[in-house]
Amino acid sequence: MPTAVDEQRTRPTKSRIRYRLTVAGREPTLLIGIILTVLLLYLVVAPIAAMLSDGFRVHYGDEEIAGARIGEATLYYADRVFSSPISQIMLWEPLVNTLVAAVSVTILGLSLGGGLAWLVTRTDLPGKRWLGTALIIPYMLPSWTFALAWLAVFKNRRVGGQAGLLETIGFTPPDWLAYGRVPIIVCLTMHYFPFAFLLVSNALRRIDSQLEESARILGAPRWVIARRIIGPLLLPALMSGVLLTFSRVIGTFGTPYLLGLPVNHTLLSTSLYQSFRQGAPGTMAVIAAVIVAVGVSILIADTWLLREHRKFVTVGTKGAMHRPLTLRGLRMPAIGSVWGVVALTVVVPAAVLLLSTISRVPGRFNADNFTLDFWIADHISHQDALPQGLLRSPEMLSATWNTLRIVVITAVVCGIVGLLIGYLVVRLAHSRLSPVLRQVSFLPYLVPGIAFAAAYLSLFAVARGPIPALYGTMFLLILVLVVQHIPYSSRAGISGMMQLGREPEEAAQICGAGWFSRIGRIVIPIQKGALAAGVILPFISSVKELSAVIMLATPGTELLTTLSLRLNDYAYTQAANGVVLVIAVIALVFTWLAQRIGRGSLDSGLGG
Amino acid sequence: MSIDVTSRDRRRLRRVGLATTITTISALLAACSTSDQAPSAEIDQVSDTTFDLAEVTKAAKEEGEINVYNNSSSVEDVAANYSEKFGIDATGTKAGVSEMVEKVTREVDAGRVTVSVIQIEDGAALEGQLLGRGYVESWVPSDLAPKIDPENSDPLAYIWRALTVAYNPDVYPEGCPISNMWELTDPKWKGHVAFQDPRLKTNLLNWFIELTESGAKPLEAAYKDYAGEPLDSEEDNAGWEFVARLAANDPILTDSDSDAAAATGAAGQENPPLSILSSAKYNDAESDGNSLAVCKNLKPWIGVAYPKYMAIVKDAPAPNAAKLWVHYVLTKEGIAPELEDGGYSANTGVPPATENDPKGLTDFDSQLLRLDPDHNLMYWDRRQSMSDFWQVNVD
């Protein structure tokens, strides 16, 4: 007797296709997954390919020196970057400086963040809830806030301009303290230690203290417990922290620009920017490729080190006991040091910057030196390019409007795409597409900040098939920011979707709901939290993003971050500091909102 | 509910994998086309003999608005005056040279031009990057053409400005502490000469190149006065030697002119540096709280004179308003805001504002080395090698 399956196999082709299409329409998950994977691959791989192509083809003006015509393949730029008399200045020194800075910031940040995490989660320190929020704030500020605050205090005559606070009072800071390696490392540590803090405190919270207590009962001394129980359990979090911190540091632009250039201390990001400023797209592309190569090797190293550890899950969700350690004698010093860190990384920089925006000349504490002019005056003399106070300046208002517009769209798109990726990765878990999509959505991690902008500049400078040239449009900025923040929102989406079973959807399917109504009426309402996290994290991160947009924003599409740096270039220090404070306020308001929606959302976004 | 992976699924997944690979490869190939584009490569120098101011004004008013970029912030005042006079909404934006070049080239390439006129101080960048590749056109209104010298007409230079060496007269009341340019390279002034980073202020690179051209012989003679013996150097000529020594003397390289001005002029210093600044800073000095004066007896020159150029962008959104702007800026009224910072208009009918020049700068021709507009392409050709030479010697 012919079975249903036999019947299916013998049906004519046309109705088989119609059958397949109907099924696909009801369950388009695989199709959407394929489209999304291809799209993401294109958006990450294509810019890098365009960038590499820019680095190895002759550009206008270099035909003579490269000995080839425009567009022909050439090693001239690679040669110029790697092995010419200028290579030392253009690549090798910056590379060494970058690696030194990245390693130092990672080590210091992990020690500081890890230590604070232990104090906050594992001891009976008072005020934990406040501390938990306060210690994340340094990351929520724009990355070069600390550099500006540092300059306001430590700037010396070396760069001309107004003196810093200390020098006006009478102490002249030495060059090595005011600029260069030391302040870059210190300021970047202050900005990035919250990564380690969040990741380690998350991991520590998940470790059941019964594990340690069993070891104590068996007679293990404290350091053995730390080494053989807590250490391995913390390792994934620590390695995540290493990866995140390292790759952010090699791509960061604002801090090295402000603190390094005055003494010719260049990092790869500032060297890339200099090539950009000099209109040298060939060398710019080669340097960007080096940055990407460094990022990729860190990722590979990280994956290889963690190859064993990814195979287990951190235990302790149900029935975990957390017995806090009593500090007794060390209580006061611990409280002091923790709140000291908060003071140094949050209160002092904000106060210094605020003070500078209301002083005509920094450091003079007489009444006539203080003024609200830089905020509200109608006309400020000799600040020709920004003659009004910040709160009245049309440039400032248009930059704020641009920023909010672009960042809100970015955040919403990121949130939706992130949730979609989460849905696809979890629902397609049986297919080979799922790990591919998961990896592809993390690819943007590989391309550190400023190299991203260089790559997108190369790709979308001219029309590509149906896509018009995007330079100067809002769309380019949105695209870059979205792709850059997909890793965060997709992580939030994946961890959110992992907690939702198939049953509600299947019930809806049985009732006849199509794919879109299932997503819209079941998944999204349940995943409000993950969606919110996927929206708010990219929002906060994009509002203060500088490295990825510095080369893409034009005077028509100026953002608050690029405005701040431009004002600094014009030596309008008070205005530049003021803009940074405005960005910080916006970011902090939304951080507070994020905290209200739930602490877990921030961690999941950062990849705990 | 578990899903068994049947052979049909495996085949499907293999097809998926193949499709993905093909798509990726084609994406890579698509991305590999060069992002270089050069529109028509001709210097288009239009000098209408049929230029009719009234007609152009009428057409400009219909266009309604115009965007102009200038290296100097005085453009905002000029735009305000222009708007008031003609009823056209003009926006003037201050922008750096490389920013301007980047914006113009990318906008024209993308077919989305927003800027109509650029006023740029780096003639080498103008001719090498913009004019030669057809991104901008130089245009001289025919009614003013007779009043403009031929050397300022092609491309159109609308104003001449100066960079001069400055000192702090409060600390040195008897006058400038140096009398010879070579003293800037002297160990006594090591770490005490401030100016904007040549990589940012590319006009300084043009100045260095000119020093190695027409400046070489005078520098050689000046060296004999300074050191008492002829110059013995491994470089090609005295100009290269001067640049090398200046770079090696640990100069204070600032982000902006204002920073250099404050470095020299700020009050309460015992040993302030000298600086090389634009004339604008002297007039701002008092309100900035700085004390600045020109080293008016410096040999062989007290600084360098350079022209600023004006050009209309290709496919400008407001071509008639652009022509009207060019015409306006060449008149006395239009150039007034920019002349407040010193210099003289290329329109010989406009009286130079010598009272705005720093005291001591009386004769551009004899006191300053001139950046010759005819040398612009040469400056551009040598830009990279001079920039490299500077960087190698600074370190």
Side-chain angles (χ1 to χ4, degrees):
Chain A
M1 193 158 107
T3 64
V5 176
D6 289 342
E7 263 187 33
Q8 205 185 30
R9 287 215 183 101
T10 54
R11 250 191 253 164
T13 321
K14 207 173 71 178
S15 66
R16 254 207 353 250
I17 293 177
R18 203 172 51 191
Y19 168 72
R20 289 255 168 117
L21 280 174
T22 320
V23 168
R26 294 261 157 204
E27 186 58 62
T29 319
L30 187 62
L31 185 65
I32 297 179
I34 296 172
I35 294 175
L36 202 57
T37 311
V38 168
L39 189 65
L40 282 176
L41 258 178
Y42 178 78
L43 286 174
V44 176
V45 172
I48 297 183
M51 193 179 74
L52 285 176
S53 129
D54 259 0
F56 293 94
R57 287 172 184 260
V58 180
H59 290 268
Y60 178 84
D62 297 324
E63 303 100 291
E64 219 177 284
I65 200 166
R69 284 173 307 177
I70 298 181
E72 281 184 359
T74 176
L75 285 175
Y76 164 66
Y77 301 110
D79 189 64
R80 183 167 159 78
V81 172
F82 287 108
S83 56
S84 74
I86 200 104
S87 300
Q88 192 70 10
I89 299 171
M90 196 182 270
L91 181 76
W92 300 114
E93 265 178 33
L95 181 63
V96 167
N97 291 338
T98 308
L99 290 175
V100 167
V103 168
S104 317
V105 171
T106 308
I107 293 178
L108 288 173
L110 266 134
S111 322
L112 184 62
L116 286 169
W118 183 80
L119 272 176
V120 170
T121 53
R122 277 322 188 83
T123 65
D124 63 346
L125 206 67
K128 282 190 197 179
R129 226 180 40 146
W130 294 111
L131 279 175
T133 317
L135 286 170
I136 301 179
I137 292 180
Y139 179 64
M140 300 305 168
L141 303 172
S143 66
W144 70 103
T145 313
F146 303 99
L148 284 176
W150 187 277
L151 284 175
V153 175
F154 289 100
K155 188 159 105 155
N156 65 19
R157 284 267 169 245
R158 174 76 203 160
V159 291
Q162 298 282 14
L165 200 81
L166 283 186
E167 197 165 25
T168 317
I169 294 180
F171 311 107
T172 306
D175 272 359
W176 62 263
L177 182 64
Y179 311 100
R181 181 161 295 150
V182 168
I184 289 179
I185 292 178
V186 170
C187 291
L188 287 176
T189 306
M190 287 203 277
H191 181 62
Y192 288 117
F193 84 83
F195 274 156
F197 173 74
L198 264 181
L199 293 170
V200 174
S201 58
N202 220 30
L204 280 175
R205 234 178 274 127
R206 285 201 223 122
I207 295 179
D208 190 346
S209 50
Q210 290 180 83
L211 294 172
E212 299 156 65
E213 290 183 358
S214 324
R216 290 283 301 282
I217 292 171
L218 289 170
R222 266 196 211 279
W223 59 272
V224 170
I225 298 176
R227 188 167 65 91
R228 296 183 65 175
I229 296 180
I230 303 190
L233 289 174
L234 274 186
L235 206 56
L238 284 176
M239 286 288 117
S240 276
V242 165
L243 175 65
L244 275 174
T245 315
F246 206 95
S247 51
R248 296 301 284 231
V249 171
I250 53 182
T252 192
F253 170 74
T255 306
Y257 179 74
L258 290 170
L259 293 172
L261 286 190
V263 287
N264 241 351
H265 182 89
T266 327
L267 267 60
L268 284 174
S269 54
T270 40
S271 177
L272 190 155
Y273 185 71
Q274 274 170 0
S275 283
F276 166 73
R277 284 272 224 145
Q278 287 164 8
T283 51
M284 180 174 102
V286 175
I287 298 176
V290 171
I291 296 181
V292 172
V294 175
V296 169
S297 30
I298 298 305
L299 182 66
I300 293 178
D302 185 81
T303 317
W304 185 81
L305 281 170
L306 277 187
R307 63 197 184 288
E308 291 299 319
H309 293 276
R310 290 220 197 277
K311 292 189 182 145
F312 66 79
V313 173
T314 316
V315 294
T317 38
K318 290 207 178 84
M321 207 159 63
H322 294 160
R323 238 198 286 275
L325 186 72
T326 42
L327 285 170
R328 285 178 298 237
L330 287 174
R331 204 175 145 89
M332 285 323 264
I335 298 178
S337 49
V338 170
W339 285 101
V341 170
V342 173
L344 268 179
T345 57
V346 178
V347 179
V348 167
V352 162
L353 287 178
L354 194 58
L355 188 66
S356 77
T357 60
I358 57 176
S359 322
R360 286 187 216 279
V361 174
R364 296 217 191 114
F365 292 100
N366 23 346
D368 63 349
N369 193 36
F370 291 120
T371 169
L372 283 177
D373 273 358
F374 295 102
W375 286 104
I376 56 176
D378 205 18
H379 184 84
I380 304 172
S381 59
H382 298 298
Q383 206 170 269
D384 289 335
L386 198 86
Q388 299 93 341
L390 271 184
L391 296 176
R392 298 173 74 152
S393 153
E395 282 101 335
M396 173 71 173
L397 289 174
S398 94
T400 313
W401 174 232
N402 273 342
T403 306
L404 287 176
R405 239 185 342 172
I406 289 174
V407 168
V408 164
I409 297 178
T410 301
V412 168
V413 170
C414 257
I416 295 177
V417 174
L419 188 63
L420 190 61
I421 293 178
Y423 180 84
L424 292 166
V425 165
V426 170
R427 289 286 171 261
L428 291 174
H430 58 281
S431 83
R432 242 176 272 163
L433 193 62
S434 170
V436 170
L437 184 55
R438 186 194 270 254
Q439 293 307 323
V440 165
S441 67
F442 294 160
L443 274 183
Y445 265 157
L446 289 180
V447 192
I450 197 169
F452 221 92
Y456 268 78
L457 204 57
S458 301
L459 182 62
F460 288 116
V462 294
R464 302 246 175 229
I467 309 173
L470 293 178
Y471 179 77
T473 61
M474 227 173 70
F475 188 73
L476 182 60
L477 289 169
I478 294 176
L479 189 61
V480 171
L481 288 172
V482 164
V483 178
Q484 221 202 3
H485 291 102
I486 289 274
Y488 301 116
S489 49
S490 67
R491 272 205 147 116
I494 292 175
S495 53
M497 282 304 301
M498 286 226 221
Q499 291 162 20
L500 178 64
R502 279 184 179 264
E503 290 79 12
E505 278 186 81
E506 287 177 357
Q509 215 169 346
I510 292 171
C511 291
W515 190 81
F516 283 100
S517 60
R518 277 183 357 238
I519 296 290
R521 295 172 68 174
I522 295 179
V523 176
I524 288 186
I526 296 182
Q527 292 296 345
K528 275 203 302 287
L531 191 60
V535 168
I536 289 184
L537 281 172
F539 181 94
I540 297 172
S541 191
S542 312
V543 145
K544 58 188 186 70
E545 181 66 55
L546 176 70
S547 319
V549 298
I550 184 72
M551 300 189 302
L552 299 175
T554 66
T557 55
E558 184 130 65
L559 301 177
L560 282 172
T561 47
T562 56
L563 177 66
S564 168
L565 217 70
R566 189 160 69 90
L567 291 174
N568 198 277
D569 282 345
Y570 295 161
Y572 300 163
T573 331
Q574 295 92 341
N577 294 352
V579 173
V580 160
L581 282 173
V582 169
I583 303 173
V585 165
I586 297 178
L588 285 175
V589 164
F590 279 85
T591 310
W592 173 80
L593 248 156
Q595 290 289 70
R596 292 298 296 259
I597 294 183
R599 165 80 65 79
S601 48
L602 270 175
D603 303 345
S604 62
L606 279 177
Chain B
M1 189 164 136
S2 69
I3 305 285
D4 293 322
V5 182
T6 64
S7 61
R8 223 186 308 155
D9 290 323
R10 254 185 289 243
R11 260 182 280 134
R12 195 184 346 134
L13 287 172
R14 222 168 293 154
R15 268 180 260 146
V16 166
L18 191 62
T20 316
T21 324
I22 292 177
T23 323
T24 319
I25 293 178
S26 39
L28 283 170
L29 287 174
C32 271
S33 52
T34 178
S35 55
D36 249 338
Q37 268 187 14
S40 57
E42 265 177 37
I43 297 183
D44 210 302
Q45 214 261 317
V46 180
S47 188
D48 292 328
T49 46
T50 55
F51 173 67
D52 181 346
L53 183 59
E55 234 179 78
V56 170
T57 312
K58 203 168 92 174
K61 287 194 181 151
E62 273 167 39
E63 283 162 2
E65 60 173 14
I66 180 175
N67 264 319
V68 178
Y69 276 24
N70 192 333
N71 294 135
S72 153
S73 49
S74 61
V75 69
E76 303 207 356
D77 286 336
V78 179
N81 296 343
Y82 178 93
S83 299
E84 212 181 297
K85 176 162 182 158
F86 297 111
I88 303 171
D89 187 17
T91 316
T93 313
K94 173 181 161 127
V97 167
S98 59
E99 215 184 317
M100 215 184 271
V101 169
E102 175 85 14
K103 185 160 171 73
V104 167
T105 49
R106 292 210 183 265
E107 282 192 355
V108 174
D109 278 344
R112 215 177 293 118
V113 184
T114 62
V115 189
S116 296
V117 180
I118 57 166
Q119 294 171 267
I120 185 172
E121 68 178 21
D122 185 351
L126 173 73
E127 285 201 39
Q129 290 183 285
L130 297 176
L131 264 180
R133 296 167 72 188
Y135 284 109
V136 302
E137 293 167 353
S138 169
W139 176 83
V140 184
S142 56
D143 58 342
L144 294 176
K147 297 232 181 73
I148 299 177
D149 286 339
E151 76 159 359
N152 290 334
S153 307
D154 181 15
L156 173 64
Y158 70 101
I159 190 175
W160 277 80
R161 307 284 299 274
L163 289 177
T164 45
V165 180
Y167 70 100
N168 188 328
D170 287 343
V171 178
Y172 300 103
E174 332 78 48
C176 185
I178 64 171
S179 55
N180 189 310
M181 254 176 78
W182 284 96
E183 292 187 59
L184 292 170
T185 67
D186 196 285
K188 177 168 164 232
W189 291 97
K190 192 176 179 74
H192 277 78
V193 181
F195 47 92
Q196 204 173 354
D197 195 326
R199 286 171 298 190
L200 296 175
K201 192 176 186 69
T202 42
N203 237 1
L204 287 171
L205 292 174
N206 294 341
W207 177 43
F208 295 157
I209 296 173
E210 189 63 45
L211 282 175
T212 65
E213 284 289 309
S214 65
K217 284 264 173 344
L219 272 177
E220 211 178 312
Y223 185 81
K224 260 198 227 112
D225 291 336
Y226 158 71
E229 53 181 21
L231 176 62
D232 174 30
S233 120
E234 285 169 8
E235 307 293 346
D236 288 342
N237 62 37
W240 288 101
E241 181 69 25
F242 177 81
V243 174
R245 289 200 193 184
L246 183 66
N249 212 24
D250 199 22
I252 301 173
L253 300 176
T254 65
D255 270 346
S256 70
D257 254 4
S258 316
D259 282 344
T264 299
Q269 297 190 72
E270 282 175 10
N271 193 9
L274 302 166
S275 50
I276 305 176
L277 313 161
S278 120
S279 325
K281 295 300 154 211
Y282 297 87
N283 294 336
D284 294 344
E286 217 180 285
S287 48
D288 285 342
N290 292 332
S291 198
L292 292 172
V294 165
C295 282
K296 59 189 180 198
N297 293 322
L298 201 62
K299 292 277 169 259
W301 313 275
I302 70 175
V304 57
Y306 61 93
K308 279 181 69 172
Y309 303 88
M310 193 160 37
I312 300 180
V313 178
K314 177 178 157 78
D315 300 335
N320 289 297
K323 289 187 180 167
L324 188 59
W325 176 281
V326 170
H327 187 270
Y328 179 65
V329 169
L330 285 171
T331 63
K332 181 167 167 193
E333 189 193 332
I335 196 83
E338 208 162 338
L339 270 187
E340 273 173 33
D341 292 334
Y344 62 91
S345 169
N347 180 351
T348 48
V350 174
T354 37
E355 68 278 9
N356 291 335
D357 283 327
K359 281 198 197 36
L361 174 58
T362 49
D363 185 355
F364 269 57
D365 289 328
S366 65
Q367 287 179 299
L368 301 165
L369 176 67
R370 300 178 91 247
L371 288 189
D372 193 340
D374 285 335
H375 289 176
N376 278 332
L377 282 173
M378 186 259 291
Y379 297 152
W380 181 248
D381 278 338
R382 302 220 195 140
R383 167 68 54 92
Q384 189 166 281
S385 59
M386 178 54 81
S387 173
D388 287 353
F389 182 76
W390 172 264
Q391 287 192 68
V392 166
N393 279 296
V394 156
D395 267 354

